[in-house]
Amino acid sequence: MSLSIRRAGTGDIAAVAGLHIASWRVAYVDILDPAYLAGPIEADRTAVWTERLAAPRDDLTVLLAETRDGSPVGFVCVIHAEDPPWGRLVDNLHARPDLRGTGIGARLLAAAAAIICHGDMHLWVYAANDGARRFYARQGGREVDIQASDKVGSAGKPLWRVHWPDARRQALADATPMTISPLPG
Ligand SMILES: CC(C)(COP(=O)(O)OP(=O)(O)OC[C@H]1O[C@@H](n2cnc3c(N)ncnc32)[C@H](O)[C@@H]1OP(=O)(O)O)[C@@H](O)C(=O)NCCC(=O)NCCS
């Protein structure tokens, strides 16, 4: 699939929130509270992405993957603050549910690593999310720490911290040519 990846901005709040809601409803059906997934998730995710994207922020970057016709098909968010010794946080990586297994996840993870460029990176994945854990293992991540989730609707379910010691190596692992275009203006 021909994909382009660009920084998301104010005009992408609905697209990113929509991808996030759709992905959690499928991927976390046995992980998060069904009552949360059925309703409150919509206001909750819209509030999160409005806060992150309504104005330019130096502390995080959201990348949006689109098909050639501009349809949003996945996103990833990088939090720039260092969390020693694990490095920067990849917070949310999602491919559109009907397009899982088409390489979007690997492209977005490599794009996140390219932004981090130097140093370590890490993320959190639910212990029950077997498919994503296999995906991260294939991408060279190592599970290093397990903690109870404090996320809404999670009832403290365990999360693994997955760590990559050198983001640059991960960025280069994806050989697909990629341009991360800046926001207009
Ligand atoms: C994790 C994710 C980003 C990986 O991206 P991807 O491009 O789909 O990567 P892969 O093709 O390697 O597939 C990864 C896993 O997704 C699942 N998957 C792949 N194709 C699928 C499909 N057509 N239908 C349902 N699940 C599928 C599988 O469990 C697969 O792992 P497996 O092949 O070891 O069983 C993507 O699968 C996704 O968005 N998953 C749901 C959200 C999620 O769990 N995000 C991670 C949060 S920490």
Side-chain angles (χ1 to χ4, degrees):
M1 188 194 316
S2 172
L3 277 188
S4 65
I5 296 177
R6 64 172 173 86
R7 288 192 170 81
T10 313
D12 301 308
I13 293 169
V16 173
L19 284 167
H20 206 175
I21 292 161
S23 184
W24 274 14
R25 280 182 167 156
V26 173
Y28 292 176
V29 68
D30 294 323
I31 297 178
L32 296 183
D33 179 4
Y36 167 75
L37 289 177
I41 186 177
E42 292 181 10
D44 175 42
R45 293 298 92 188
T46 301
V48 165
W49 294 109
T50 301
E51 196 213 330
R52 291 185 172 187
L53 290 170
R57 288 176 55 164
D58 293 336
D59 59 333
L60 58 84
T61 301
V62 182
L63 297 176
L64 183 64
E66 296 173 316
T67 54
R68 195 184 288 273
D69 67 0
S71 304
V73 293
F75 73 97
V76 66
C77 177
V78 177
I79 309 289
H80 295 306
E82 284 285 337
D83 182 5
W86 309 115
R88 295 186 187 176
L89 176 67
V90 175
D91 185 31
N92 302 124
L93 170 63
H94 292 272
R96 209 175 75 190
D98 58 315
L99 294 174
R100 279 156 70 175
T102 61
I104 295 168
R107 293 284 308 281
L108 281 167
L109 189 65
I115 281 193
I116 292 170
C117 191
H118 292 295
D120 295 19
M121 69 176 184
H122 70 116
L123 54 75
W124 293 97
V125 60
Y126 282 104
N129 192 351
D130 294 324
R133 289 176 63 191
R134 282 194 296 272
F135 168 76
Y136 294 132
R138 286 197 293 272
Q139 298 295 322
R142 202 165 63 86
E143 292 176 344
V144 290
D145 180 21
I146 192 160
Q147 292 183 14
S149 170
D150 61 0
K151 295 281 186 303
V152 58
S154 70
K157 292 207 172 62
L159 284 162
W160 275 106
R161 189 200 302 266
V162 184
H163 175 239
W164 286 261
D166 183 353
R168 186 170 166 77
R169 225 182 296 143
Q170 185 64 28
L172 296 174
D174 184 283
T176 316
M178 177 175 56
T179 311
I180 301 172
S181 44
L183 279 177

